[in-house]
Amino acid sequence: MADAFPILMLIERPSQWLLGGLDDRYDLRHAPGPGITVAITGGGEGIDATTIDACPDLKLIAVCAVGYDKVDVAHAHARGIAVTNTPDVLTDDVADLALALMLSVSRKVALHDHYVREGRWVREGTPPLTRKLTGQKIGILGYGRIGHAIAERVKPIAGEIAYYARSEKPDAEWRYIGDPVALADWADMLVVAVAGGKGTAGLVSREVIAALGPEGVLINIARGSVVDEPALVDALVSGRLGGAGLDVFADEPNVPEALLGLESVVLLPHQGSATRETRAAMAQLVLDNVEAFVAGKPLLTPVPAA
Ligand code: GLV
C-alpha cells in the first residue's frame, strides 16, 4: 500500500461497483489532508470550499451524480481543480421515474396500492375516480438532456408539450414559453427538470405554484432547492395545488411532515438514478475519469466553468 494512490472518498455509502473498481492501487482516505490529489463525492454529499482547502494538493473532484450543486465548482476551478460528473448514463432512469410519478399522481397508483393492502377496498368499496393523464398539457421546466428525455417519453400520450429554458432551443419541436409562471398557467402538469444550484433556487415560486392551480400537478425529479417548498406545502395542504409527485426535497432525507398525510402527493426517497444498471454505469464513469486523470489523459466528462 506504500505507494498506493490516495483518494478522498466522501460518499457515505459508496456502491459496490465504485468500491470494487477502486482496487489496491488506491488508498481510500476518509479525511482531507495533504497528498490527496483526487476526491470522489456524491450529489448529496458534494464538497465545500473548506474541505477543498483542507486538501492543498487536490487536482480532481469526481462527482458520482449528474447534479453538482453541492460542489463549490467556482472555488475548485479558481484553485485549478477539475470537476467531473456523470451525465447521460442516468438520463433514461430519471426520465422513466418522472413518467412513473406523473402516472402515479394522476392515477393514484401508490395510494391505491395502499388502499388494497390496508383492506380498504373490502371495507370502503371502490375508491374515488382519478384523473386521465393522456391528453394533458405537459410543461417541462428545463430542457437539457433530462427534460428532452421526458418530452420523448410523454410525446405519445401528451395532448401538448411546452418547455421553459433560459433561451429557446432551436432543435426542440415543442412550444417554447420563456416564463415559468406562464408555463405553469398553460400546463396541466409541470415537470421540473432544471439543474439545481443558485441560478435556479426558488424558480418554482409561490406564483408558479398558484398559476398551476387546484387542478394542476407539480412533478419534481430535479432538486428540492428549485421549489419554494413552504409555498408548495401550503398550496397542497389548502388544495390550491391539485397534487405533486416529488423525488427530491429541500432537506433530504427530511420531508415536510405536512406532506406525509396527503393523498394528493407521491413521495419518493430520491430514486432518480437508483437502478443497478445505472449506478454501475455511473461508478464506471467516475472510475474512468479517475483513471484518465492518473494516466494524464483528458477527462471524459469535465464540468464546464460556471
Ligand atoms: C442525482 O440526483 C444526480 O444528480 O445524479
Side-chain angles (χ1 to χ4, degrees), residues 62-68 83-94 144-146 273 278 281-286 289 299-304:
V63 187
C64 193
V66 68
Y68 46 85
V83 180
T84 59
N85 67 339
T86 61
D88 300 313
V89 293
L90 46 64
T91 300
D92 283 336
D93 272 1
V94 179
R145 286 172 288 248
I146 293 174
S273 65
T278 293
M282 290 164 69
Q284 192 57 53
L285 191 46
V286 169
N289 273 305
L299 298 169
L300 279 81
T301 48
V303 162

Side-chain angles (χ1 to χ4, degrees), residues 12 29 39 45 57 65 82 93 113 115 132 148 161 168 181 186 194 247 268 292:
E12 280 156 27
R29 310 268 181 92
E45 292 89 349
D57 303 308
D93 272 1
D113 172 84
Y115 195 83
K132 180 169 179 163
H148 173 78
I161 297 173
E168 190 165 358
V181 176
W186 171 87
V194 286
D247 186 42
L268 298 181

Side-chain angles (χ1 to χ4, degrees), residues 244-280:
L246 308 171
D247 186 42
V248 289
F249 301 88
D251 178 31
E252 297 173 7
N254 301 303
V255 172
E257 186 82 28
L259 295 182
L260 302 181
L262 289 185
E263 297 202 336
S264 58
V265 301
V266 176
L267 309 170
L268 298 181
H270 202 142
Q271 291 289 291
S273 65
T275 65
R276 290 198 297 268
E277 294 85 348
T278 293
R279 287 295 163 83

Side-chain angles (χ1 to χ4, degrees), residues 80-123:
I81 300 165
V83 180
T84 59
N85 67 339
T86 61
D88 300 313
V89 293
L90 46 64
T91 300
D92 283 336
D93 272 1
V94 179
D96 288 349
L97 198 74
L99 189 58
L101 282 171
M102 294 164 82
L103 281 162
S104 192
V105 173
S106 53
R107 300 303 305 273
K108 303 226 178 286
V109 178
L111 182 74
H112 286 175
D113 172 84
H114 285 277
Y115 195 83
V116 173
R117 289 173 197 260
E118 289 161 10
R120 291 178 64 190
W121 194 12
V122 174
R123 288 197 311 275

Side-chain angles (χ1 to χ4, degrees), residues 120-131:
R120 291 178 64 190
W121 194 12
V122 174
R123 288 197 311 275
E124 299 172 39
T126 306
L129 299 178
T130 61
R131 294 293 307 281

